[in-house]
Amino acid sequence: IPAVEKGIVESCQKGVLAGFPCVDFKVTLDDGSYHAVDSSEMAFKIAGSLAFKKAAEQAQPVLLEPIMKVTVTTPDEFMGDIMNHQYGRRGRVLGMDSAGKNQIINAQVPMAEFLTYAPDLRSMTAGRGMYTMEFSHYDEVPAQISEKIVEEVNKSKE
């Protein structure tokens, strides 16, 4: 059993989709047999690895991406532009609050879409907007984007 487990752990680190690690799965070993001549730790390790790969491919795996909780503080006149910009980055606006002459927009945005946000916010608000972000959760990558990621990774491997 420990050798099979080692094979599964090693295999899950390499993943089945573009080599990314696999998470949130459970493995149950129902049955196994040992033969004095043919059985070795390496044989059980390989068996665990192959079983994991086969099961993972049949389970229809998906890519996950980090979703960030974003709070944008902006003057009233820029609120519409900021909200449209959030939607354009695959974001979900969760709500708005008022703070004097400023508006606070709470949203969830994929990290990949938010890496270049600071210069965009600065140009949209003439330098008067600011934001904070923190990790919220992982969510499934949309299918068309997932396909592009897998293709790019596979091309770079070749």
Side-chain angles (χ1 to χ4, degrees):
I1 293 177
V4 173
E5 184 177 2
K6 283 181 189 176
I8 292 168
V9 168
E10 286 178 10
S11 189
C12 83
Q13 294 303 315
K14 296 174 188 169
V16 291
L17 279 181
F20 295 113
C22 294
V23 295
D24 298 335
F25 64 90
K26 180 180 177 180
V27 175
T28 303
L29 179 60
D30 290 329
D31 191 23
S33 62
Y34 179 82
H35 187 270
V37 176
D38 296 329
S39 296
S40 67
E41 182 178 352
M42 185 57 76
F44 284 109
K45 200 171 173 181
I46 292 170
S49 176
L50 293 174
F52 175 80
K53 286 179 184 176
K54 184 176 179 182
E57 288 169 2
Q58 293 174 355
Q60 299 173 344
V62 295
L63 290 179
L64 299 177
E65 66 182 338
I67 304 296
M68 307 304 285
K69 179 183 176 236
V70 178
T71 304
V72 180
T73 304
T74 181
D76 288 338
E77 62 263 25
F78 303 113
M79 190 177 79
D81 292 338
I82 299 295
M83 287 180 58
N84 286 336
H85 199 251
Q86 298 291 335
Y87 290 124
R89 292 178 176 258
R90 296 189 294 131
R92 285 178 263 173
V93 175
L94 302 176
M96 296 167 288
D97 294 320
S98 224
K101 293 182 179 180
N102 290 329
Q103 293 291 324
I104 299 171
I105 302 167
N106 296 307
Q108 290 181 337
V109 183
M111 177 81 165
E113 301 288 339
F114 217 71
L115 293 174
T116 60
Y117 188 68
D120 293 344
L121 179 64
R122 198 172 19 250
S123 67
M124 283 188 296
T125 63
R128 295 188 294 170
M130 63 181 197
Y131 76 95
T132 60
M133 72 175 174
E134 63 184 79
F135 175 76
S136 175
H137 64 281
Y138 286 99
D139 205 358
E140 188 175 328
V141 176
Q144 66 273 19
I145 296 172
S146 179
E147 289 172 8
K148 288 179 186 176
I149 292 170
V150 171
E151 285 177 20
E152 287 176 16
V153 170
N154 289 337
K155 282 181 185 177
S156 68
K157 284 181 180 178
E158 293 173 1

